[in-house]
Amino acid sequence: MTDPALPVIERIAAALERLAPPPMPSADPLAHPAYLWRGGALQAARGFAPVPLGLLQGLDRQRDALLANLVRLADGHAAQDVLLWGARGTGKSALVKAGVAAVQADRPGRLALVSVDALDSLPDLFAMLEGVARAFAIFIDDLGFEGAGEARKLRSLLDGGAEARPAHVRLLVTANRRHLLPRDLSEQDSAINPRDVVDDQLALADRFGMSLGFHTLDQDGYLAIVRGYTARYDLPFDGDEAINWATRRGSRSGRVAWQYVVDLAGRLGRNL
């Protein structure tokens, strides 16, 4: 016997399909320097203009290592996935974007940045980029997990899964913690083998072939960043005022230095 409710259900389903927006077409993966990966489609990033590398003070070691890896990726050579970890506001994200832009300037068209915020969609992104004749740095900013299950999914994508990633696609991940998972000492106390808990937490970090640490700035380092910004934008440098700003903010970092310079420019009626 036919269910009398079926035609109603079908009409509702058809109406919902008509209301749903069509899937957004992907932007040309060869045409833009940076993209956002959203809803299963590439969107061209508007106004991709990172801070010049020269303004990122105190990051020489991290800069040189990341640049060398990005150059290898852009040139079609073997390259590593990179984990950039450490204190907040210390230039991790800025270095990723500035490094990609520097390689793009030297090797036009060979490398693009793709910003991703949904890890579950990474396999679809990898599949889309499989046959594209260009290298891609997949940028996952401020990554962290509340549970080990989510971390294991990414771990499998990085290394050990059944389906390999394209050789011209590598991940650049920033995080506040090197081990990415919150460390709970009570778990170690209750575990049969406490070492197993620590090893499981570090297993994801170990999947990254390159790990770059970022640490809190001392006063001299903070002032060097402020001085670099003020020189670039032709603003007066006042070390005491900059230190007072950082003290009120409770932190010395590249982010705080930039916020001070923005405030200084605004007070002087300038734009940046």
Side-chain angles (χ1 to χ4, degrees):
M1 182 176 178
T2 303
D3 185 350
L6 186 58
V8 177
I9 294 174
E10 290 176 347
R11 289 199 299 273
I12 292 173
L16 290 175
E17 288 181 1
R18 290 193 298 271
L19 289 173
M24 181 176 293
S26 279
D28 184 347
L30 296 173
H32 304 282
Y35 300 85
L36 308 177
W37 173 247
R38 290 177 179 168
L42 284 176
Q43 300 177 26
R46 298 190 304 270
F48 181 63
V51 172
L53 268 178
L55 290 182
L56 299 179
Q57 301 289 328
L59 300 176
D60 293 356
R61 179 185 60 83
Q62 298 94 326
R63 178 201 62 206
D64 292 348
L66 181 64
L67 274 179
N69 192 62
L70 289 173
V71 166
R72 289 195 292 268
L73 179 62
D75 287 348
H77 304 154
Q80 303 281 9
D81 297 299
V82 184
L83 174 63
L84 302 92
W85 61 275
R88 69 186 190 279
T90 49
K92 302 182 293 296
S93 301
L95 180 59
V96 167
K97 291 179 281 189
V100 169
V103 174
Q104 289 172 341
D106 191 50
R107 291 165 165 76
R110 294 194 194 178
L111 177 68
L113 185 74
V114 182
S115 180
V116 174
D117 55 14
L119 298 182
D120 289 343
S121 67
L122 279 176
D124 293 334
L125 175 59
F126 295 157
M128 174 180 285
L129 300 178
E130 175 71 42
V132 180
R134 190 184 196 186
F136 292 90
I138 308 303
F139 180 36
I140 303 174
D141 195 22
D142 198 21
L143 181 64
F145 300 103
E146 294 303 321
E150 292 176 309
R152 291 191 186 101
K153 292 178 184 178
L154 180 57
R155 201 166 76 198
S156 178
L157 288 170
L158 284 167
D159 182 23
E163 188 174 13
R165 279 178 301 129
H168 62 296
V169 176
R170 286 295 175 263
L171 269 62
L172 306 180
V173 175
T174 70
N176 291 335
R177 299 182 294 258
R178 179 181 180 272
H179 42 78
L180 298 172
L181 286 164
R183 302 184 69 173
D184 187 348
L185 294 179
S186 65
E187 288 182 353
Q188 299 182 43
D189 293 338
S190 62
I192 295 175
N193 185 349
R195 181 63 191 175
D196 290 345
V197 175
V198 177
D199 286 346
D200 190 55
Q201 290 178 332
L202 292 175
L204 175 55
D206 288 345
R207 290 296 198 276
F208 292 88
M210 181 178 293
S211 179
L212 303 175
F214 293 69
H215 306 288
T216 303
L217 290 170
D218 59 18
Q219 184 166 291
D220 289 342
Y222 166 74
L223 288 176
I225 294 174
V226 173
R227 188 178 286 106
Y229 281 137
T230 55
R232 177 175 179 82
Y233 295 107
D234 193 25
L235 297 169
F237 173 76
D238 185 331
D240 291 337
E241 185 180 75
I243 292 170
N244 186 45
W245 174 273
T247 301
R248 296 200 310 270
R249 299 284 296 182
S251 173
R252 286 192 300 260
S253 70
R255 181 179 299 152
V256 170
W258 174 248
Q259 290 168 347
Y260 164 71
V261 170
V262 169
D263 182 77
L264 173 63
R267 286 187 278 116
L268 295 174
R270 298 275 300 280
N271 198 3
L272 298 177

